[in-house]
Amino acid sequence: MTPDPTCPDAAYAPSRRAFLAGAATLTVWPFLPRFAAAAPGGRDPRLIVVVLRGAMDGLSAVAPVGDPAYAALRGAIALGLDGPNPALGLDGFFALHPAMPTFARLYKAGKAMVVHAVASPYRERSHFDGQDVLESGLGGVGRADSGWLNRALQALPAGERIARAGGLGVGTMTPLIMRGAAPVLGWSPQVLPRASDDFAARVLDLYRHADQGLAETLERGLATDKLAAQAGMGDAKSRAGAATAEGMKLVAAGAARLLAAADGPRLAALSFDGWDTHANEGGATGRLAQLLGGLDGAFAALETGLGPAWRDTAVLVATEFGRTAAVNGTVGTDHGTATVAFLAGGAIRGGRILADWPGLKTADLYEARDLKPTTDLRAIAKGLLADHLGLSRRVLDTAVFPDSAAVAPAADLIG
């Protein structure tokens, strides 16, 4: 994430993340086959988790225009259903940001849904701690050396139908969500791919068939900026994870090509930076609108690039926390608590909003400043892993999300 000088965490970025400085822009983890038998009914499911780093403003992404307190709290950046650039009505109470027409189309088709007033168990406002809790799947801040998506991959039963299926991770840093005990084949500018063994050779052969430019770039182990450019991920400013709309679209398109391959990966984590909007956030237009437009373009790129595989795909978009209910003095928003999560894909039972709405009156806000969380993000992730990939409640409560037995999986997310 590009450090924001107005953000308290910015000063800690070098020391907290220095060990990640050498990570390549694109890091791919091809895992040994583990989950062919997990999908019931002969399906071939894909699960994609998109992490928005910097804390997305959920009250602007999906505006509660029906809440009487909304317009006054949001001031100049409030969305409306009338006038220039109107928000896209969803259910009479919530409206989608106008920069997201693809998601609106998927929602109307019953293939996308919104979870509002959602949060991880984290209740402070540090980006780094919030991201670690989100990606580790733990109940709070602590030493985490693995992520919940990696642990889910390990827990899936072995089988033969998907002979070489695996995981994919894309971002400017190694996403914690995909770190863990599962076998990893990674690249960095300093280390050439370990392509001499049979498994690595098979993986590189897959990439050559799916994306020749990407395969060649990975083999050469180029520096981060050149890696992004020659892999078809745009120039240095549009590279994977960068805070640009075009970068998000290009990353999603490249990931979709690999996920669509018959022998390609089936679980993926994409990391997009730049969602920290302390100043000049904008309303229907402006900085946040550009970012949301990029995310919307990523949905479109995944749908197009996955082709027939989109039918069995579920996408979860999450961020470390939300932003303040009120606008600050620089026409932005500060670190908050609850926000929104997006679900999309052919496997999603969508066309609805999942929300136990807490309200925006001062007395209803968390610590009198933030949208109050009423849904645990782990419940959403558990619901996807249970119904889409077939993981048991016991495994979810103990291995994937340790000590989370009190958090029940959300039901009926998969249709």
Side-chain angles (χ1 to χ4, degrees):
M1 175 172 57
T2 303
D4 184 338
T6 67
C7 173
D9 281 345
Y12 300 97
S15 59
R16 292 293 300 275
R17 297 296 185 189
F19 73 99
L20 294 167
T25 293
L26 182 69
T27 307
V28 181
W29 293 277
F31 293 101
L32 295 174
R34 297 193 60 83
F35 62 97
R43 296 184 304 109
D44 186 5
R46 274 82 166 167
L47 175 61
I48 304 167
V49 180
V50 180
V51 177
L52 306 180
R53 298 184 183 276
M56 178 186 62
D57 184 358
L59 290 173
S60 282
V62 181
V65 293
D67 191 303
Y70 167 75
L73 278 171
R74 294 266 114 174
I77 69 170
L79 301 180
L81 297 174
D82 301 313
N85 301 306
L88 308 172
L90 295 178
D91 66 349
F93 186 89
F94 293 105
L96 185 68
H97 195 284
M100 302 188 71
T102 296
F103 188 87
R105 171 178 59 79
L106 293 171
Y107 180 93
K108 291 179 180 178
K111 297 304 175 184
M113 64 179 293
V114 173
V115 185
H116 219 315
V118 66
S120 79
Y122 182 67
R123 291 294 176 269
E124 302 301 325
R125 298 179 178 91
S126 161
H127 287 301
F128 303 122
D129 288 342
Q131 289 165 15
D132 283 352
V133 172
L134 166 66
E135 296 185 58
S136 71
L138 302 181
V141 179
R143 181 177 177 82
D145 57 6
S146 66
W148 63 263
L149 198 57
N150 184 285
R151 295 194 298 272
L153 185 64
Q154 297 172 53
L156 291 164
E160 298 179 357
R161 182 169 56 81
I162 305 174
R164 291 174 240 183
L168 171 69
V170 184
T172 54
M173 61 182 70
T174 304
L176 173 61
I177 195 172
M178 286 292 280
R179 250 184 264 161
V184 172
L185 179 65
W187 285 264
S188 78
Q190 292 78 27
V191 182
L192 291 175
R194 299 190 300 276
S196 57
D197 60 271
D198 291 341
F199 181 67
R202 291 201 307 270
V203 171
L204 286 171
D205 183 63
L206 164 64
Y207 298 150
R208 291 189 187 101
H209 284 89
D211 190 326
Q212 181 64 28
L214 174 58
E216 292 173 357
T217 302
L218 290 173
E219 286 183 282
R220 289 195 295 268
L222 296 177
T224 297
D225 288 350
K226 193 173 182 182
L227 176 64
Q230 295 195 11
M233 300 294 186
D235 61 20
K237 293 182 180 179
S238 298
R239 65 184 182 268
T244 68
E246 189 63 21
M248 285 182 258
K249 297 173 189 176
L250 291 171
V251 167
R257 287 195 294 271
L258 295 176
L259 289 161
D263 292 334
R266 293 299 185 264
L267 270 65
L270 311 183
S271 177
F272 296 146
D273 295 348
W275 295 81
D276 202 14
T277 51
H278 285 285
N280 301 316
E281 178 177 316
T285 61
R287 180 185 168 196
L288 181 61
Q290 292 173 355
L291 290 168
L292 290 171
L295 177 62
D296 198 60
F299 283 125
L302 290 171
E303 180 186 22
T304 300
L306 282 163
W310 176 255
R311 179 187 60 193
D312 289 330
T313 295
V315 182
L316 168 64
V317 178
T319 191
E320 65 259 35
F321 45 72
R323 309 197 71 83
T324 49
V327 177
N328 63 26
T330 56
V331 199
T333 52
D334 298 318
H335 299 178
T337 307
T339 183
V340 300
F342 292 111
L343 298 177
I348 295 297
R349 190 173 78 82
R352 57 204 170 104
I353 308 283
L354 179 60
D356 179 8
W357 187 244
L360 293 177
K361 295 179 182 178
T362 302
D364 296 327
L365 297 176
Y366 179 74
E367 296 185 346
R369 54 168 275 165
D370 301 338
L371 178 65
K372 183 183 296 183
T374 57
T375 297
D376 193 317
L377 182 62
R378 292 173 297 176
I380 305 305
K382 281 184 170 185
L384 292 175
L385 293 171
D387 293 344
H388 195 47
L389 299 183
L391 290 185
S392 71
R393 178 70 186 271
R394 180 188 61 80
V395 167
L396 292 171
D397 289 349
T398 59
V400 180
F401 296 96
D403 302 318
S404 68
V407 180
D412 299 324
L413 300 179
I414 301 298

